Amino acid sequence: MSGVLVIAEQRRGELRPVSLELISAAQTLRLRSGEGLQGGEGDTVTVAILASFPERFIDSLKLAGVDEIVAVKVAAAEFDPDTFETAVGALIEARKPDIVLVAHSVDSFGYAAALAAKLNLGFATDVFKAERIDGELVATRGGYGQKVNVEVDFPGRATVLLAIRASVFKPPEQPGAPRVTEFAAPATASRSRSREFIELSSDDDVDMAAAEFILTIGRGIGEEANVARFKELADAVGATLGCSRPIADAGWLPKSRQVGQSGKTASACKFYIAMGVSGAIQHLAGMKHVTTIVAVNSDAGASIFGVAKYGVVGDIFEIAEELRRHF
Amino acid sequence: MKILIAVKQVAALDEDFEIRADGRGVDEEFLIRDLNEWDDYSLEEAVKIKEASTAPVEVVVVSVAPEEADEALRKCLAKGADRAIRIWDDGMEESDPIAIARVLAAVAKSEAPDMLFAGVQSSDQSFASTGIATAAFLGWPHAAVVSSLDYAPGAKSALFRRELEGGLLHEVEIQCPAVLTIQLGINTPRYASLRSIKQAAAKPIEVKTLADVGLSAGDAGESGSHSRIRRMRIPDKGRAQLIEGDAAAQAARLAEIIREFKGDAA
């Protein structure tokens, strides 16, 4: 009764990158021989992939530190809560791992808590650090908009399910030679039916994915009438204007300009100025790859200063006005 | 027809907050309380469904919380909820999202709604777990991060889109009754009118104990929870290099940094 079980994620035939990050997270948690284990070899990291054609993903998961890949063939081609609960639940019962890692992702939001409730698993989400302290598993997560780190433990739980925050662990680079097995998941009568995927259409010709220099506005701009002057500033400095979620939700800018985890992936962005963006975790996770982040915010305690290279504490309107004079 | 909405009064932190003496929470003095932002959207979605329906629909909000949450519940009543229920009992302070979900499920069993909404997550603890764990205790179909919904009260199924990462939507059909967790931006929540705020102040809040919903002390609090808070800590301040000076000086330095980047990029 030991080992770490990783549940990889795939969508539309592609392995989601966070799956590989989970493998690295698992390495930090596996017990090695002599660390309280009875056996001589240390415990194992097992990666399970659930898909209608799991064999497609096996090669991409053959990485250093993976002992076994379990191919779980399921009927549903895309994520389905009932299918995942049944299959992952059966796998946990069969393998009895002491830790199960899933991504803190939209798919996991749809089933991980249900699984923890049904199988009586220790449970924490949005975990960015996990360690064993005196043999006890301790997970650290954010509280109050990242202003507090909350350490939680799981007294008396044989198995603990952790949903790991994306973009925290670096994916392993070295290849490995794990053994590959199959697991027959029980059949599921699914109560929901996947219909189709819809790509967010770009309704104003902007391509956030290609933009290298983005200037983003957030809640701090106060009202819709102020959007225009920041658009003008972005044009003047040569940046693409982006926005955080509340601005797109309010309809002040089209959804295609939203950056962060649920918005468009700003994958080419190298330089990012965030004005009046406090930095919700989903926003920060979506921008973490950017080399240079400059945050301008009147709240010195804003979470965005935690990821920014440069910080300007001040009134965004004054800074914008002064900055405009230079271009 | 009935729609049940799970709501939470969340806490934001005042500037210069302090950790409690026992190290396991934030000193109450520094907490600024309000209705969870996500719950504002799930309530609005239910009220919109009610207004569009020809059959009568009752919109009921429920919170598993001590008395201070009455403020959030009254806000919901002012914004269109017909009834408000609050469950609390001694020893429930240490409840995690799964313990809260067990209580919500017990309420749902007695209320027998046609649909249950919860916010995707709370803005303070951000577990994104309560709604979906509630579905597990009820044995109901469920879906998370719903960003648009097509549902008529009493219908056998609903059509929705869930918002995935990277600007992708997934359209799904689900059997009802179901538990859906509602994402920001699904609608535009209304403001409460002065008149409705006054009316809400006079409406009763139904206060119940664990026993009232058929549960016992062990179902909630620490013994009913799947995690336990060891301690809270203030993280090290970020690595941002602060640009000092007045607005003009800050902007001048910022302009330099922009030019450096553009020079490198060119």
Side-chain angles (χ1 to χ4, degrees):
Chain A
M1 245 182 74
S2 71
V4 185
L5 172 65
V6 168
I7 310 298
E9 269 190 21
Q10 59 89 19
R11 178 176 295 154
R12 303 171 91 192
E14 305 252 354
L15 197 65
R16 297 202 58 236
V18 67
S19 305
L20 306 185
E21 297 170 21
L22 297 178
I23 293 172
S24 295
Q27 303 309 319
T28 69
L29 289 169
R30 75 190 307 168
L31 288 172
R32 297 180 200 278
S33 52
E35 289 177 327
L37 264 194
Q38 303 297 322
E41 292 180 24
D43 65 359
T44 54
V45 170
T46 303
V47 180
I49 176 77
L50 284 70
S52 44
F53 297 98
E55 57 278 7
R56 278 187 196 169
F57 305 97
I58 303 294
D59 282 345
S60 344
L61 293 168
K62 286 183 174 167
L63 293 164
V66 179
D67 298 290
E68 179 185 357
I69 300 171
V70 185
V72 186
K73 198 174 173 69
V74 293
E78 297 297 343
F79 173 75
D80 166 70
D82 293 326
T83 300
F84 268 63
E85 269 156 58
T86 306
V88 178
L91 193 55
I92 292 172
E93 307 252 81
R95 299 300 186 95
K96 303 197 182 341
D98 55 9
I99 300 172
V100 183
L101 301 183
V102 299
H104 188 62
S105 64
V106 174
D107 282 359
S108 292
F109 286 9
Y111 83 100
L115 200 57
K118 280 185 192 165
L119 298 186
N120 256 312
L121 312 176
F123 182 56
T125 61
D126 194 22
V127 171
F128 59 84
K129 184 179 168 192
E131 60 198 319
R132 296 185 197 255
I133 300 175
D134 302 329
E136 289 288 314
L137 178 65
V138 176
T140 308
R141 56 192 314 280
Y144 303 104
Q146 310 307 308
K147 287 184 176 172
V148 172
N149 286 352
V150 185
E151 293 176 7
V152 295
D153 59 13
F154 315 91
R157 302 282 167 183
T159 300
V160 176
L161 172 60
L162 300 179
I164 304 287
R165 186 185 288 180
S167 309
V168 172
F169 293 90
K170 279 208 181 345
E173 284 167 7
Q174 299 302 318
R179 67 177 187 281
V180 179
T181 60
E182 284 175 16
F183 180 77
T188 320
S190 179
R191 295 166 296 177
S192 43
R193 194 164 63 89
S194 168
R195 303 243 300 207
E196 60 172 331
F197 287 93
I198 301 123
E199 303 266 359
L200 196 61
S201 66
S202 186
D203 32 7
D204 70 346
D205 299 336
V206 67
D207 187 3
M208 297 307 290
E212 294 193 356
F213 177 14
I214 298 175
L215 187 153
T216 285
I217 48 177
R219 245 190 255 259
I221 68 155
E223 53 185 279
E224 188 171 9
N226 293 326
V227 172
R229 72 164 101 170
F230 287 95
K231 174 76 176 77
E232 202 271 335
L233 176 67
D235 289 344
V237 302
T240 303
L241 184 70
C243 67
S244 67
R245 156 157 235 132
I247 304 301
D249 280 351
W252 297 354
L253 278 173
K255 200 82 179 159
S256 52
R257 288 197 184 252
Q258 183 184 322
V259 296
Q261 229 164 37
S262 49
K264 280 282 175 189
T265 308
S267 40
C269 185
K270 296 189 179 75
F271 190 70
Y272 178 58
I273 303 179
M275 301 193 82
V277 176
S278 59
I281 180 61
Q282 288 84 356
H283 187 86
L284 302 182
M287 299 311 286
K288 215 168 171 175
H289 60 283
V290 180
T291 330
T292 306
I293 297 178
V294 182
V296 185
N297 206 296
S298 56
D299 174 12
S303 318
I304 192 134
F305 290 118
V307 298
K309 183 169 180 187
Y310 299 104
V312 177
V313 179
D315 180 280
I316 61 165
F317 298 101
E318 275 183 53
I319 305 285
E321 197 180 320
E322 292 289 343
L323 186 59
R324 182 67 188 85
R325 293 185 213 278
H326 293 272
F327 291 90
Chain B
M1 304 297 158
K2 191 189 284 185
I3 302 174
L4 188 63
I5 301 125
V7 302
K8 179 182 182 185
Q9 188 175 42
V10 292
L13 300 186
D14 206 346
E15 254 180 82
D16 306 321
F17 64 92
E18 286 168 19
I19 301 287
R20 224 162 56 197
D22 72 354
R24 298 178 65 229
V26 171
D27 191 331
E28 293 235 349
E29 212 179 299
F30 303 94
L31 301 180
I32 306 158
R33 298 177 197 277
D34 200 354
L35 175 65
N36 182 34
E37 192 180 359
W38 277 263
D39 304 344
D40 211 3
Y41 290 83
S42 47
L43 172 65
E44 177 66 29
E45 198 59 19
V47 173
K48 273 177 57 187
I49 290 167
K50 173 186 166 139
E51 287 170 349
S53 168
T54 46
V57 177
E58 189 178 37
V59 173
V60 183
V61 288
V62 54
S63 193
V64 180
E67 198 177 351
E68 66 216 15
D70 282 357
E71 193 188 335
L73 289 169
R74 290 211 187 281
K75 193 169 179 178
C76 295
L77 288 169
K79 286 175 174 234
D82 298 300
R83 284 170 51 217
I85 303 170
R86 184 170 60 77
I87 318 285
W88 196 245
D89 222 323
D90 293 337
M92 283 180 69
E93 290 79 9
E94 302 283 323
S95 300
D96 80 340
I98 292 186
I100 300 284
R102 194 177 287 111
V103 180
L104 288 171
V107 175
K109 277 175 191 155
S110 66
E111 288 289 324
D114 298 277
M115 191 67 115
L116 197 159
F117 294 159
V120 167
Q121 60 183 3
S122 63
S123 59
D124 52 4
Q125 301 308 331
S126 311
F127 263 96
S129 302
T130 311
I132 298 303
T134 305
F137 290 120
L138 287 169
W140 285 12
H142 48 274
V145 198
V146 170
S147 63
S148 71
L149 174 63
D150 184 0
Y151 168 70
K156 295 263 184 293
S157 72
L159 188 65
F160 66 87
R161 287 177 178 182
R162 57 187 194 108
E163 183 188 80
L164 306 177
E165 294 86 354
L168 191 66
L169 300 170
H170 186 200
E171 192 167 275
V172 179
E173 191 182 334
I174 194 165
Q175 294 173 15
C176 300
V179 175
L180 302 180
T181 74
I182 304 293
Q183 175 63 308
L184 303 174
I186 189 173
N187 52 41
T188 308
R190 70 195 64 195
Y191 290 98
S193 70
L194 212 55
R195 188 164 157 263
S196 63
I197 291 169
K198 271 187 190 160
Q199 283 171 341
K203 278 192 192 171
I205 287 169
E206 300 161 39
V207 180
K208 297 182 179 187
T209 63
L210 286 176
D212 291 338
V213 294
L215 295 177
S216 59
D219 292 319
E222 190 174 322
S223 53
S225 294
H226 292 211
S227 68
R228 179 182 69 176
I229 295 172
R230 268 168 72 104
R231 61 173 176 167
M232 290 195 188
R233 286 199 297 168
I234 302 176
D236 297 334
K237 287 281 178 242
R239 62 190 177 94
Q241 179 188 328
L242 286 186
I243 298 171
E244 308 284 354
D246 62 8
Q250 288 173 321
R253 176 71 186 116
L254 190 47
E256 252 175 54
I257 295 168
I258 293 172
R259 290 222 165 78
E260 279 164 27
F261 165 74
K262 292 173 84 171
D264 286 346

